[in-house]
Amino acid sequence: DRSVAHSPLYRRAFHYFWTFKTTDSGKCLGFGAIVAASMGSATLDIPLYYLVCMLAASVVIAFVGGLLLRPRLAMHGEIPVRAVAGRPFTSRIRLTNQGRFSAYDVSVGLFPLPRPVQQILNDGQIRRLAPGDSAPAHLTVHPLRRGVHRLPELYPYTVFPFNVFRSASA
């Protein structure tokens, strides 16, 4: 997206954080934390304060844990150069764990996609990938309209822990 590429740094950082880093679950958790914090600011009810603290702690632990535990993954595979509009295609990408520790909840994705192209999120996560092991990950993309669409870089990522944030491979 050209408008994001030439925008100020804070806008690009927010766009990256919103489109790639935060999962749908993370967006719901963040929205719940904002609602609970706004309700808690209007009352002196202690249980609501505990809820805000718990949600905030979950977000911080997920973010820091994702940074510290992100895996080292190698990818092998290809995405087709041409596709038919209106017909989804699936690419098989082989992921290899090159790290010293097991990788959990690993997948691949294209972020951010241009508007006329959608990624179909299937339950294709690799639950556990031991050090040195390989496994196939599936990427399903649905081009909605005809034309030339520049796809972004393919990222291997993990949503471990808590499925709140994506952490790209180190």
Side-chain angles (χ1 to χ4, degrees):
D1 191 11
R2 286 185 144 316
S3 62
V4 173
H6 299 294
S7 59
L9 179 62
Y10 68 89
R11 191 174 201 172
R12 286 185 304 215
F14 178 77
H15 187 261
Y16 164 78
F17 192 79
W18 190 254
T19 59
F20 171 70
K21 194 74 174 162
T22 309
T23 64
D24 290 341
S25 301
K27 291 172 186 171
C28 289
L29 182 67
F31 180 71
I34 290 170
V35 168
S38 64
M39 289 174 56
S41 66
T43 182
L44 297 174
D45 195 11
I46 295 298
L48 198 54
Y49 172 75
Y50 291 143
L51 176 65
V52 171
C53 290
M54 181 190 70
L55 290 173
S58 299
V59 168
V60 169
I61 290 169
F63 188 79
V64 172
L67 289 176
L68 295 176
L69 301 172
R70 67 183 182 173
R72 288 186 41 213
L73 302 169
M75 293 184 303
H76 304 286
E78 293 182 6
I79 297 175
V81 176
R82 295 178 184 257
V84 177
R87 187 176 301 161
F89 66 87
T90 301
S91 293
R92 185 175 174 200
I93 310 295
R94 183 163 273 314
L95 294 176
T96 304
N97 185 358
Q98 296 180 332
R100 296 183 303 166
F101 304 105
S102 292
Y104 297 96
D105 300 330
V106 176
S107 192
V108 292
L110 298 165
F111 300 98
L113 281 170
R115 287 196 190 277
V117 180
Q118 291 180 344
Q119 179 176 337
I120 299 171
L121 297 175
N122 50 12
D123 193 26
Q125 283 186 345
I126 302 166
R127 297 291 172 213
R128 181 179 180 270
L129 193 59
D133 283 355
S134 294
H138 300 283
L139 174 73
T140 304
V141 177
H142 187 193
L144 301 174
R145 289 188 303 201
R146 293 180 55 163
V148 177
H149 307 293
R150 294 184 55 102
L151 296 180
E153 189 175 345
L154 182 65
Y155 287 103
Y157 65 87
T158 181
V159 291
F160 180 80
F162 306 147
N163 192 20
V164 174
F165 297 110
R166 288 182 189 94
S167 297
S169 175

